[in-house]
Amino acid sequence: MPHGIFYPASQLIYLRLEGALDVMRLKKILPTLRETLQINGEFDTFIDLSETTDIESTYASISALVSTKEALYRAHPVPRKYAFWAPGDLAFGTCRMFEQIAQDRLPSEFLVSRDAAEAMCFLGRNETTVPMMITALNKERDDARGASAALSGGSTIAPFRSLSAPLEGMLNMRRRCLP
């Protein structure tokens, strides 16, 4: 199941995929994800596959997923960069297959890495772990919220949009657990 948070202040989507993934199901979820997060401008995407246990990974299914993204990109903004953090063998191999198929068909840059720090660096982030990145993104969000409140005389506009309340809880729990 995908869980995503869009941080407009950082122009970054954090997308976490976990459990067993069916690529054809992901193909149907992608339009809903973009619509739910209400993304209208340029952005980067960090895809966390650290909790993925199994992935359907045939060439035909990955090619169909790329075709779905091609169709979406005709009508919506395109991510500048995708950073896939795929520490497991199956996730890494599947993401590399996606990258190979997509690199000539999609106008984005791709990096597939087993190292979270390398994936974050590709997106211009300085953090070395996902909890550190989430903490920094939340700080950037809070700073933007404060700036927005100051400019509007106290009212705030939500500076991020979430696909999943459970993901927000998980991220906040990770934040509290950091030293």
Side-chain angles (χ1 to χ4, degrees):
M1 163 153 281
H3 303 288
I5 296 178
F6 176 51
Y7 294 90
S10 307
Q11 291 305 105
L12 179 73
I13 292 176
Y14 171 78
L15 181 62
R16 180 175 176 214
L17 303 174
E18 58 188 30
L21 299 178
D22 176 345
V23 174
M24 296 313 281
R25 194 166 135 245
L26 279 176
K27 179 181 161 195
K28 294 175 185 170
I29 290 171
L30 289 173
T32 304
L33 174 70
R34 180 177 290 264
E35 219 172 85
T36 302
L37 296 178
Q38 300 173 357
I39 301 166
N40 296 316
E42 290 188 343
F43 60 96
D44 293 327
T45 304
F46 182 90
I47 301 173
D48 177 348
L49 291 137
S50 63
E51 298 296 322
T52 302
T53 57
D54 190 26
I55 304 173
E56 172 204 352
S57 56
T58 65
Y59 177 84
S61 65
I62 299 296
S63 185
L65 182 62
V66 170
S67 294
T68 297
K69 293 192 92 42
E70 276 182 304
L72 281 173
Y73 290 169
R74 289 188 199 113
H76 299 285
V78 177
R80 293 175 296 222
K81 295 181 178 183
Y82 283 96
F84 293 89
W85 176 39
D89 291 341
L90 182 59
F92 183 82
T94 302
C95 290
R96 288 284 294 136
M97 186 185 334
F98 176 86
E99 176 187 33
Q100 291 299 309
I101 295 169
Q103 70 184 356
D104 294 329
R105 294 170 57 187
L106 301 178
S108 304
E109 293 180 58
F110 300 92
L111 174 77
V112 178
S113 179
R114 294 178 188 268
D115 180 24
E118 179 183 22
M120 288 178 248
C121 183
F122 175 70
L123 298 177
R125 305 295 308 179
N126 297 321
E127 299 82 24
T128 57
T129 67
V130 170
M132 288 173 67
M133 180 179 73
I134 297 302
T135 298
L137 288 168
N138 285 329
K139 182 179 179 338
E140 292 165 15
R141 176 197 66 203
D142 294 344
D143 290 349
R145 182 180 288 154
S148 174
L151 291 173
S152 64
S155 66
T156 62
I157 299 170
F160 80 106
R161 291 176 289 280
S162 175
L163 177 65
S164 150
L167 178 64
E168 290 174 48
M170 184 260 327
L171 295 175
N172 288 329
M173 181 176 66
R174 282 188 177 177
R175 256 190 9 208
R176 287 191 301 269
C177 294
L178 290 173

